[in-house]
């Protein structure tokens, strides 16, 4: 049974604080092992990739090639059902058109003192996308990571994906092709991250690495950060559903379980003002679990990390929501829009009963890579801005420098950075004078 | 003497690659010491801050108070020269009005299938600003970090600054007051970062920590990342100047030295197509060093990390510029605007001879916290977006879900996430049907 909390209990504040602080994943300490792998890839290049892939993935890259060939991608295309290809193309088009609206605008203006200011956005030159292998190789994640990079205008998008026993899911290769990935390499783990950061004979280095992975991949991303950019380090996924007594218990139960089936560390939370709905949702979850293929995973997630929280009113519910800062928030309430407007921290909000989170996972158009583990307090989902950077621009005429110079010299003097001040004063030899 | 490179030399490619790879700072391994400090602050709270500050800063916080009082801030105001206060206020206004233009816009629209999409930007609830003590306590940096947070609408801005021997530079307190900092605590080092991340009896925790610091501060920020957000880990500063033969050698020398006086690890680079200008700039630097207060620092930076690179043409210069991805780029060339437009990677560009970088450090209006050590390839200077986050919004009507559902179910099936598919199919019991 999931945890049951009620804001009217005397011990609620302490119980909720403990719930917020609970860790859902043991942090494996793999830093030393990863540092060794990164060092080997830097020193040995392709030879290290071949050797490590033989050990970890039971695949001979010397024979198969590190790079996935055009023929293999074409074969993958033939292996996928046409209707699935269509669904993937539909998803890609929707993700693309939604993200196109995120493209930032350049700015350039002259202010009242005649100073020209502005900024210009440019794409990252080369991005590496890590895709996990095995059952977690999700084509939808390939689209969600690669399409925003393509929309940003990244000229070179590289994908790495492990090939355990030589296998890569055909749909992952097809999604990569569709999303505009330029190069695919069959290598995974910390060695793939090291190759992307430092380069090998076969894989040219990239400037930024994105995409989810296991503890080794996450540790490798942390270690190469600085040499290259990285995206956030994703934790286990979570959903919070706000629902009133009129909500459909079956739909809510289905959405809680869609979250729970991801991973035993996933978390599904219901907040409601209705004891009756809480009861009905609890029963509906139990019912659905009896027929779900991934019932073992979903049941454990629900039992260990699930929660049903009863509140007295929606102010309370919003306060708890903002403290949880959920990755996904569904609102099944009469005044869903008004409640949504008052949420300060959430990765994504799904408004109303006809917006199951799963639709956003695939074809809504917005990104499904979202901040987990309360990090929506300070970070955003993946988007076009993650693949671009801003260069600021400043341009002074002699007159503009004359207007700005004295204050700058004064502050430089106060900070005892005399050479800073002199670099302005030396220009006073010019016609207009500065200070 | 700084390194001299010439693209026409046979060994240029190797020499330039070595130059790009050279490290300017030894990475001190303080991770274990920092982990211990963080654990102590989490366990002991204020008591640990008091004890560690006695050891590291020779200050008794039990007697002085951890929080800087309103009286102390008022006294600091009185201690600063009126003209300096005016210069600071001038800088603050310019930074504020420039950053106001960075405020992002919300988006909400309905697409052709009737799906409502959008995103909403909200500020971070609480931000902690680390300010180094001693000679590196720069009031300009207080403004550059705090003003964008205030413009973003952050409701609570907290500053921590060490008080070695009890002293905090009055101008730093005044800048904090001016920039809208709500609370100031006289504590520094890893212990201050831990207090901001986890909270103590006196200091409530924040959601994001920004600002530069020494190796201990940087390591502490890395360790608390995830619990809170952090900004980039800043390295030593650098400037690259592009100049043609008509440029003013004295102005360029002054700008190279303004960079070099920061730190012996700072880097100043000149790229020119004129052997004559290279010669004149080298001599001007040597001349100016004889009268500069911080000559010892600037001379060592120039000798060890400085570089003059001679190119055959501006295509070569731009290629090298993009590979260096400088924090600061000055362009002293006839066609400065045209060259600037072709730069892909730089933190900030200063166009034309009347735009010394130092003016941007203080009063240009753009931010002086910029990506160092080639990280302009993948990251931007500090700005309003660093203090906000984006929540995506999705809302389907029954009809919109009907249009999206089948493709989502098909992809969920392909990914073997049946509960995802069922959460959509269960809604087909509703009037319109879904799949």
């Amino acid at each position: 049974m999931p945890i049951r909390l009620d804001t009217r209990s005397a011990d609620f504040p302490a119980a909720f604080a403990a719930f917020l602080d609970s860790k859902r994943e043991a942090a494996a300490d793999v830093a030393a092992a990863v540092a060794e792998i990164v060092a080997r890839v830097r020193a040995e290049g392709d030879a290290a990739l071949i050797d490590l892939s033989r050990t970890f993935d039971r695949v001979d890259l010397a024979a198969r090639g590190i790079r996935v060939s055009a023929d293999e991608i074409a074969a993958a295309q033939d292996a996928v059902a046409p209707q699935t290809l269509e669904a993937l193309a539909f998803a890609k088009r929707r993700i693309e058109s939604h993200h196109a609206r995120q493209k930032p605008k350049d700015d350039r203006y002259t202010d009242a003192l005649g100073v020209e200011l502005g900024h210009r956005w440019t794409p990252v030159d080369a991005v590496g996308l890590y895709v996990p292998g095995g059952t977690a190789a999700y084509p939808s994640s390939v689209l969600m990571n690669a399409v925003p990079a393509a929309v940003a205008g990244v000229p070179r998008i590289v994908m790495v994906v492990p090939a355990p026993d030589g296998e890569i899911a055909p749909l992952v290769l097809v999604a990569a092709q569709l999303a505009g990935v330029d190069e695919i390499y069959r290598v995974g783990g910390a060695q793939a991250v090291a190759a992307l950061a430092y380069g090998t004979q076969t894989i040219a280095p990239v400037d930024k690495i994105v995409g989810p992975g296991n503890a080794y991949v996450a540790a490798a991303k942390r270690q190469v950060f600085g040499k290259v950019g990285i995206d956030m380090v994703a934790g286990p996924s979570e959903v919070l559903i706000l629902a009133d007594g009129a909500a459909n218990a079956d739909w809510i139960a289905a959405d809680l379980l869609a979250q729970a089936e991801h991973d035993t560390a996933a978390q599904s939370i219901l907040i409601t003002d209705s004891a009756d709905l809480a009861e009905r949702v609890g029963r509906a979850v139990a019912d659905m679990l009896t027929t779900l293929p991934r019932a073992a995973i979903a049941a454990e997630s629900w039992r260990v990390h699930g929660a049903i929280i009863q509140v007295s009113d929606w102010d309370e519910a919003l306060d708890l929501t903002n403290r949880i800062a959920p990755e996904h928030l569904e609102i099944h309430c009469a005044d869903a829009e008004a409640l949504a407007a008052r949420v300060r921290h959430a990765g994504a909000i799904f408004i109303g009963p006809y917006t199951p989170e799963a639709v956003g996972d695939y074809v809504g158009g917005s990104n499904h890579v979202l901040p987990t583990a309360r990090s929506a307090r300070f970070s955003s989902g993946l988007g076009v801005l993650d693949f671009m950077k801003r260069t600021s621009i400043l341009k002074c005429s002699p007159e503009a420098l004359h207007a700005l110079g004295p204050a700058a010299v004064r502050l430089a003097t106060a900070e005892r950075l005399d050479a800073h001040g002199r670099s302005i004063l030396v220009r006073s030899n010019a016609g207009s004078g500065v200070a």
Side-chain angles (χ1 to χ4, degrees), chain A:
Chain A
M1 276 288 92
I3 186 171
R4 290 289 293 260
L5 300 174
D6 190 318
T7 55
R8 289 161 303 185
S9 304
D11 68 346
F12 178 79
F16 184 74
F19 173 72
L20 269 190
D21 271 352
S22 62
K23 285 265 173 294
R24 280 141 57 200
E25 275 187 327
D29 190 7
V30 297
V34 165
E36 203 173 302
I37 290 171
V38 172
R40 266 199 70 188
V41 172
R42 288 185 70 174
E44 303 166 27
D46 284 349
L49 297 185
I50 290 167
D51 190 49
L52 292 163
S53 297
R54 192 177 287 127
T55 304
F56 293 125
D57 297 331
R58 301 160 306 280
V59 59
D60 181 1
L61 297 189
R64 294 285 298 271
I66 295 174
R67 184 164 179 176
V68 175
S69 69
D71 285 350
E72 290 174 278
I73 297 166
Q77 195 95 13
D78 294 337
V80 174
Q83 283 187 307
T84 308
L85 284 181
E86 271 169 43
L88 204 64
F90 178 74
K92 185 256 181 177
R93 285 194 304 273
R94 291 191 56 82
I95 297 164
E96 194 170 53
S97 61
H98 177 71
H99 284 76
R101 296 174 71 102
Q102 292 179 0
K103 279 196 86 166
K105 289 202 171 45
D106 293 347
D107 190 20
R108 185 82 181 251
Y109 65 101
T110 305
D111 70 13
L113 297 181
V115 183
E116 285 186 57
L117 295 114
H119 63 245
R120 201 176 67 203
W121 290 90
T122 45
V124 173
D125 272 350
V127 165
L129 161 56
Y130 189 91
V131 174
T135 56
Y138 294 136
S140 59
S141 291
V142 173
L143 296 184
M144 292 292 180
N145 280 276
V147 171
V151 169
V154 173
R156 177 173 168 251
I157 305 175
V158 179
M159 182 172 107
V160 292
V161 54
D165 299 307
E167 295 297 315
I168 300 176
L171 205 50
V172 163
L173 297 182
V174 170
Q177 174 86 342
L178 188 65
V181 170
D182 301 289
E183 305 161 21
I184 306 174
Y185 299 99
R186 68 182 113 240
V187 57
Q191 60 273 23
V193 174
L196 289 172
Y198 292 99
T200 70
Q201 295 85 343
T202 300
I203 306 178
V206 303
D207 299 298
K208 181 157 186 171
I209 301 175
V210 300
N214 63 18
Y216 286 82
V217 171
K221 280 167 69 180
R222 268 181 199 266
Q223 291 184 18
V224 302
F225 175 56
K227 170 70 183 170
V228 297
I230 62 170
D231 61 351
M232 60 190 123
V233 176
S237 195
E238 72 244 356
V239 71
L240 167 60
I241 301 180
L242 303 184
D244 60 25
N248 186 312
D250 285 341
W251 300 3
I252 291 170
D255 296 357
L256 293 170
L257 287 174
Q259 191 60 41
E261 77 169 339
H262 269 294
D263 186 340
T264 56
Q267 182 165 59
S268 303
I269 307 170
L270 170 65
I271 293 184
T272 180
D273 62 348
S274 161
D276 175 60
L277 182 82
E279 203 54 49
R280 287 187 288 126
V281 168
R283 278 201 308 272
V285 166
D287 279 358
M288 288 184 192
L289 275 173
T290 61
T291 62
L292 205 62
R294 290 169 70 93
I297 293 168
E300 185 174 340
S301 158
W302 179 239
R303 183 178 60 79
V304 179
H305 303 295
I308 297 180
I309 304 176
Q310 199 176 325
V311 293
S312 305
D313 58 46
W314 295 106
D315 286 344
E316 266 184 12
L318 282 168
D319 176 54
L320 301 183
T321 299
N322 283 323
R323 290 173 67 190
I324 293 169
E327 182 191 12
H328 306 104
L329 174 66
E330 288 188 7
I331 309 184
H332 298 238
C333 300
D335 47 359
E337 278 283 356
L339 286 175
R342 292 171 62 198
V343 171
R344 292 201 313 280
H345 313 304
I349 305 180
F350 302 85
I351 301 178
Y354 291 95
T355 322
E357 188 249 298
V359 87
D361 280 344
Y362 295 111
V363 294
S366 49
N367 211 290
H368 79 196
V369 181
L370 294 165
T372 58
R374 305 190 61 216
S375 63
R377 292 175 297 126
F378 54 80
S379 59
S380 309
L382 195 71
V384 170
L385 292 182
D386 292 295
F387 300 101
M388 303 188 81
K389 61 267 181 337
R390 196 182 58 233
T391 297
S392 67
I393 293 165
L394 193 64
K395 184 181 183 181
C396 291
S397 60
E399 296 72 27
L401 182 59
H402 185 74
L404 296 183
V409 170
R410 190 161 295 279
L411 291 172
T413 304
E415 292 188 353
R416 296 186 191 164
L417 293 174
D418 292 81
H420 280 62
R422 290 190 191 191
S423 74
I424 294 165
L425 292 169
V426 69
R427 269 118 168 142
S428 67
N429 299 328
S432 70
V434 165

